[in-house]
C-alpha cells in the first residue's frame, strides 16, 4: 500500500459520496427528504450503488490491511468489482473474522481505514462493540462520518414524521453505542430540541417527561415498557403524557406484534424504529416510515439503499438470495470512512421486498421488520428457535406480565430442557401455564415447562432485556 494510492482512492471515494449527498441541509419535500434518492427507480438505485461500489472497493483495498489480505487470499483485485452484480463474488464477512483480526493487531484491527494520522486530524468519536464475547471491536469515527450520519439519520427521522414542534428525550447512558448518538446528531440537522437523559434512574426520567413534556422518547423497547410501569407505580398514566412517538432500537420488538401493541397501548404512542449495528454504521440501517400497515398486514422497515446495499443470504450456505426469500441480513456499507464493509453478515432474519411502499419510497423494506440475530438462536435438542418466537407465544396469552425468562437446563440424564418463567395475576390456575405451553408448541413444535409466578415478582428489565438464561454445561 503506498501513501499516494491510499490518499488518491480515499479522495475519489469522498468526492463520489459528496456527489450523492443530495439535499444536505433540509428536506426537499414535506413528506420525503430527498425524493430524487428515496423515490428513484430501481435502475437508478442500482446505478448509484454501482458507482459508489466502484469508489469504495479501491479505497478499502488501499487503506484496510484486513480487506487487502482478503483480496489477495481470494486472488481478486478491485477491478473485479465494476457493478453490484459482481458483489456475489465476495464471500460474506462475519464477526468472527473481525474478532480474529483485532486480536492479531490490537487495539484497532485492520478492518477499518482510519489510521492514527486520520484520527488525530479529523477524529470525532470512538464507538465499540461490547467485547462481552471476546476482544472489543473499536471503530474510530471521523467528522466525515458525523456529517454523513447526521444527514442519513435525519432522512430516516423525517420519514418517521419528526417535524418542527417536536422535542425528543433520549434515554441512554451515552456510552460508545451507535443508536443514541446517531439520533442525537440527526436531531441537530432536523433542528429539533433534545433533552439528554443520561445518568438518571427511571423515576427521574418519568419526572422529566411529566415536567418538560417531550413528544418523542428514544430508548430500547424493554425500557419503554419498564418506564411505563414505573410511571404507573407512582400514580401517573403514561398514555396521558405528552409522548406520542417512541423511537426504539437495539432489540427486535417492531416485528413482534404483541410487544409492539403492548408498548403502543401503554403510552398511547406510535412505535418507530432504527435498525442497524456498529459495524455498518455510521448510519441508520433500517427505519420506519409513516405508511401504517393496513389492518391484518405486517409492519415493514425501510433500508436506505443509496447508502448501503442490503441483501439476505441462506443461513447455511451463505449463498445470495433474491428479494422475497427469508434469510440472514448482509450489508455493504458505502458511506462510512471508519467502517466501509463489503458484505458484512449483520445476521438478523429478514425478508426484503422491492415493491414501492405506500409512502412513495422505492427503497427496499424488510417485511415484518428484523427478527433477531442468528447468534441468539436457541438450539434445544436439535430444534432451533429464536427468543422472539417464544416472546410471541408468551405475549399471546391475555393478562401476562411484562417480564419473562427462558431458562435452559440440562437434567441429570443429560437431556436439555426449557422452562419459561413468567408472571400472571392468575398464577395458581394451571390453565395459564397450559396456554403458554400450547402457544410455544404451535410456533416452535417443542414441549416446554412453564412456571407462572405472581405479577411483579421477576427482576425488572431496564435497558436491553436478557431473556435467555442458559444454564447448560454449568
Ligand atoms: Zn414507506
Amino acid at each position: 500500500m503506498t501513501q499516494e494510492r491510499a490518499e488518491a482512492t480515499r479522495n475519489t471515494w469522498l468526492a463520489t459520496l459528496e456527489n450523492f449527498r443530495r439535499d444536505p441541509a433540509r428536506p426537499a419535500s414535506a413528506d420525503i427528504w430527498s425524493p430524487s434518492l428515496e423515490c428513484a427507480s430501481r435502475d437508478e438505485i442500482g446505478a448509484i450503488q454501482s458507482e459508489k461500489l466502484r469508489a469504495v472497493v479501491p479505497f478499502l483495498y488501499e487503506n484496510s490491511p484486513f480487506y487487502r489480505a482478503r483480496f489477495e487470499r481470494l486472488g481478486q483485485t478491485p477491478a473485479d468489482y465494476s457493478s453490484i452484480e459482481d458483489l456475489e463474488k465476495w464471500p460474506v464477512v462475519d464477526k468472527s473474522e473481525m474478532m480474529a483480526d483485532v486480536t492479531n493487531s490490537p487495539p484497532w484491527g485492520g478492518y477499518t481505514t482510519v489510521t492514527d494520522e486520520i484520527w488525530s486530524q479529523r477524529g470525532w468519536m470512538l464507538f465499540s462493540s461490547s467485547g462481552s464475547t471476546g476482544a472489543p471491536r473499536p471503530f474510530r469515527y471521523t467528522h466525515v462520518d458525523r456529517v454523513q450520519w447526521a444527514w442519513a439519520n435525519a432522512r430516516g427521522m423525517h420519514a418517521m414524521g419528526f417535524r418542527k414542534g417536536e422535542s425528543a428525550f433520549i434515554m441512554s447512558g451515552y456510552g460508545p453505542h451507535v443508536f443514541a448518538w446517531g439520533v442525537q446528531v440527526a436531531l441537530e440537522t432536523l433542528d429539533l430540541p433534545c433533552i439528554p437523559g443520561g445518568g438518571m434512574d427511571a423515576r427521574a426520567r418519568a419526572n422529566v417527561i411529566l415536567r418538560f413534556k417531550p413528544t418523542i422518547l428514544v430508548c430500547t423497547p424493554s425500557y419503554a415498557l419498564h418506564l411505563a410501569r414505573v410511571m404507573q407505580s407512582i400514580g401517573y398514566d403514561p398514555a396521558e403524557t405528552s409522548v406520542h412517538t417512541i423511537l426504539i432500537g437495539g432489540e427486535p420488538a417492531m416485528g413482534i406484534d404483541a410487544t409492539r401493541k403492548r408498548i403502543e397501548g401503554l403510552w398511547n404512542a406510535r412505535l418507530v424504529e432504527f435498525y442497524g449495528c456498529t459495524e455498518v454504521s455510521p448510519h441508520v440501517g433500517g427505519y420506519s416510515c409513516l405508511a401504517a400497515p393496513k389492518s391484518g398486514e405486517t409492519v415493514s422497515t425501510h433500508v436506505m439503499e443509496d447508502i448501503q446495499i442490503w441483501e439476505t443470504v441462506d443461513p447455511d450456505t451463505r449463498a445470495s438470495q433474491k428479494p422475497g426469500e427469508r434469510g440472514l441480513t448482509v450489508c455493504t456499507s458505502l458511506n462510512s470512512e471508519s467502517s466501509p464493509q463489503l458484505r458484512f453478515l449483520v445476521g438478523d432474519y429478514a425478508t426484503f421486498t422491492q415493491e414501492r411502499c405506500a409512502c412513495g419510497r422505492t427503497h427496499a423494506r424488510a417485511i415484518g421488520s428484523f427478527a433477531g440475530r442468528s447468534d441468539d438462536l436457541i438450539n434445544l435438542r436439535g430444534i432451533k428457535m429464536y427468543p422472539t418466537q417464544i416472546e410471541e407465544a408468551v405475549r399471546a396469552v391475555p393478562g401476562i406480565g411484562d417480564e419473562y425468562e427462558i431458562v435452559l437446563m440440562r437434567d441429570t440424564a443429560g437431556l436439555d430442557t426449557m422452562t419459561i418463567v413468567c408472571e400472571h395475576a392468575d398464577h395458581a390456575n394451571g390453565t395459564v401455564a397450559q396456554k403458554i405451553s400450547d402457544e410455544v408448541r404451535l410456533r416452535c413444535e417443542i414441549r416446554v415447562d412453564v412456571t407462572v409466578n405472581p405479577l411483579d415478582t421477576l427482576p425488572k428489565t431496564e435497558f436491553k432485556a436478557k431473556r435467555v438464561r442458559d444454564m447448560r454445561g454449568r
Side-chain angles (χ1 to χ4, degrees):
M1 294 187 209
T2 69
Q3 188 65 27
E4 295 75 41
R5 279 209 302 268
E7 269 178 35
T9 53
R10 183 183 298 275
N11 289 338
T12 303
W13 168 76
L14 281 170
T16 309
L17 227 63
E18 275 309 302
N19 192 30
F20 286 108
R21 196 162 64 90
R22 298 178 186 158
D23 314 303
R26 62 188 62 82
S29 92
D31 300 325
I32 294 174
W33 187 286
S34 199
S36 73
L37 293 170
E38 290 163 52
C39 306
S41 69
R42 293 302 313 173
D43 284 350
E44 286 172 293
I45 293 169
I48 295 170
Q49 290 176 331
S50 290
E51 191 170 336
K52 285 192 173 182
L53 188 69
R54 283 192 293 274
V56 82
V57 168
F59 164 49
L60 265 172
Y61 183 80
E62 298 293 346
N63 289 275
S64 157
F66 171 83
Y67 273 91
R68 177 69 164 245
R70 220 170 180 269
F71 270 100
E72 284 169 357
R73 217 165 46 240
L74 292 164
Q76 296 183 2
T77 69
D80 292 315
Y81 293 88
S82 62
S83 87
I84 49 173
E85 274 78 43
D86 296 318
L87 261 182
E88 256 186 79
K89 296 182 211 162
W90 187 258
V92 164
V93 175
D94 73 20
K95 220 173 274 180
S96 61
E97 271 183 81
M98 273 191 188
M99 277 156 75
D101 176 50
V102 79
T103 305
N104 291 335
S105 46
W108 309 113
Y111 52 81
T112 89
T113 58
V114 174
T115 59
D116 291 346
E117 167 72 12
I118 289 168
W119 182 239
S120 69
Q121 293 305 311
R122 58 171 183 276
W124 170 53
M125 201 180 282
L126 178 115
F127 291 87
S128 178
S129 68
S130 65
S132 55
T133 52
R137 280 166 295 123
F139 298 87
R140 292 184 287 186
Y141 282 16
T142 65
H143 286 284
V144 169
D145 291 326
R146 177 181 56 78
V147 169
Q148 294 289 341
W149 205 18
W151 167 69
N153 279 17
R155 285 169 58 191
M157 284 151 65
H158 186 71
M160 293 170 190
F162 288 26
R163 297 289 185 276
K164 281 280 177 204
E166 311 276 1
S167 61
F169 183 27
I170 303 185
M171 297 185 291
S172 154
Y174 284 89
H177 313 299
V178 290
F179 172 50
W181 287 107
V183 174
Q184 179 86 53
V185 292
L187 284 171
E188 290 168 24
T189 304
L190 290 164
D191 211 8
L192 292 184
C194 165
I195 307 168
M200 298 180 199
D201 64 15
R203 256 171 187 263
R205 287 183 173 134
N207 280 320
V208 166
I209 293 169
L210 294 166
R211 190 178 287 248
F212 303 133
K213 300 185 171 41
T215 58
I216 298 165
L217 299 185
V218 182
C219 58
T220 62
S222 302
Y223 196 78
L225 266 180
H226 171 66
L227 186 62
R229 300 305 185 189
V230 168
M231 210 161 221
Q232 288 173 336
S233 74
I234 56 172
Y236 294 94
D237 181 0
E240 300 286 316
T241 62
S242 50
V243 175
H244 60 65
T245 303
I246 303 175
L247 170 51
I248 55 166
E251 291 175 335
M254 201 67 191
I256 308 172
D257 275 355
T259 301
R260 189 183 72 251
K261 284 176 185 159
R262 176 172 290 217
I263 298 171
E264 289 186 333
L266 276 167
W267 286 96
N268 186 27
R270 187 170 176 276
L271 218 58
V272 290
E273 75 167 344
F274 267 168
Y275 161 79
C277 65
T278 311
E279 292 85 348
V280 297
S281 293
H283 179 288
V284 47
Y287 63 97
S288 309
C289 69
L290 284 176
K294 291 183 207 116
S295 159
E297 280 180 14
T298 45
V299 295
S300 63
T301 301
H302 281 281
V303 285
M304 207 170 274
E305 291 188 278
D306 55 292
I307 283 175
Q308 295 175 329
I309 302 167
W310 284 89
E311 56 180 313
T312 57
V313 294
D314 183 283
D316 298 318
T317 65
R318 296 193 176 176
S320 194
Q321 294 177 314
K322 293 188 177 60
E325 293 181 320
R326 188 165 175 79
L328 299 178
T329 50
V330 164
C331 181
T332 295
S333 181
L334 303 165
N335 268 43
S336 174
E337 181 165 36
S338 63
S339 184
Q341 304 292 338
L342 291 185
R343 300 194 83 207
F344 176 74
L345 181 72
V346 181
D348 291 279
Y349 266 94
T351 311
F352 286 115
T353 175
Q354 294 183 342
E355 267 178 41
R356 181 188 287 265
C357 179
C359 72
R361 289 178 182 80
T362 47
H363 290 201
R365 286 170 289 144
I367 299 297
S369 187
F370 300 87
R373 298 272 137 100
S374 52
D375 321 6
D376 300 334
L377 191 75
I378 297 171
N379 188 337
L380 188 74
R381 308 194 296 265
I383 298 173
K384 292 174 181 166
M385 71 207 88
Y386 280 92
T388 49
Q389 289 172 281
I390 306 288
E391 178 156 348
E392 279 169 9
V394 172
R395 302 252 194 253
V397 176
I400 208 80
D402 295 334
E403 303 294 340
Y404 70 94
E405 267 187 352
I406 301 165
V407 184
L408 301 167
M409 307 270 277
R410 185 159 293 157
D411 70 13
T412 48
L415 187 72
D416 290 352
T417 62
M418 181 192 287
T419 303
I420 296 171
V421 186
C422 56
E423 304 173 332
H424 198 284
D426 211 3
H427 60 97
N429 184 340
T431 58
V432 176
Q434 189 57 49
K435 276 184 197 156
I436 291 171
S437 171
D438 291 347
E439 293 286 347
V440 172
R441 208 159 164 214
L442 188 73
R443 289 169 172 81
C444 310
E445 292 171 18
I446 197 162
R447 209 181 278 279
V448 296
D449 296 320
V450 180
T451 304
V452 187
N453 293 334
L455 287 173
D456 300 324
T457 49
L458 281 170
K460 295 285 173 212
T461 295
E462 288 228 3
F463 288 99
K464 273 200 183 193
K466 287 230 184 321
R467 302 290 189 199
V468 183
R469 249 195 316 141
D470 195 345
M471 321 276 282
R472 296 174 295 186
R474 286 194 188 174

